[in-house]
Amino acid sequence: RQDKDIKVPFKPFKRQIVYLQGSKKFKESWTPLIEAGGGEAIKAWFRKTSELSLPTIVASDCTSRPSKTTVNFNVPIVSHDWLKQCVILGELADLDHFKLN
C-alpha cells in the first residue's frame, strides 16, 4: 500500500499549512497523513508563505528553539503531540496547549 492511498474520513488539517521540523523519518511519517487530512506539508516555510498564510511549525522533539525569523513573524512552534491530538479530535487542536515558543 502506498502512502498516497491513505484515506482519512475527516479532515483535521483542512487548509492548514504545516512545516515539519525533524528527521527524515518524522517528515515521511507525518506528511501523508497531513495531506490526506486536508493540509499541506511544506518543505521550506519561509519561501512559500506570506503573513496571511503562516505555517504551524511542528517539532519532532521539545528541544527546538525558535529562530529569529519565526519570532519576527510570530510563527507558532508546537510539539508533535499537537498532530496526534488533531487526529484524535478530527479537527485542529488548540495550539496554545502544545506551544514550544
Side-chain angles (χ1 to χ4, degrees):
R1 183 174 164 125
Q2 295 181 357
D3 288 340
K4 65 183 176 183
D5 294 334
I6 293 175
K7 302 287 186 229
V8 179
F10 49 85
K11 301 292 183 194
F13 303 108
K14 189 175 182 179
R15 293 188 302 268
Q16 187 70 23
I17 301 169
V18 178
Y19 174 75
L20 297 168
Q21 181 180 343
S23 69
K24 181 178 178 182
K25 184 177 179 180
F26 174 70
K27 293 174 184 179
E28 288 174 349
S29 297
W30 280 102
T31 295
L33 188 58
I34 290 167
E35 292 173 351
E40 180 181 5
I42 59 174
K43 295 182 193 295
W45 72 269
F46 51 86
R47 293 185 187 148
K48 192 170 181 173
T49 60
S50 69
E51 286 190 48
L52 298 176
S53 62
L54 289 173
T56 299
I57 297 177
V58 180
S60 62
D61 63 64
C62 296
T63 61
S64 295
R65 297 284 176 238
S67 70
K68 193 174 191 179
T69 308
T70 59
V71 171
N72 289 343
F73 278 95
N74 199 27
V75 176
I77 302 174
V78 296
S79 74
H80 66 282
D81 291 330
W82 176 77
L83 294 171
K84 296 174 187 176
Q85 189 65 26
C86 291
V87 171
I88 290 167
L89 294 174
E91 62 186 29
L92 293 177
D94 185 1
L95 292 172
D96 290 337
H97 298 293
F98 302 95
K99 278 190 177 179
L100 300 176
N101 60 341

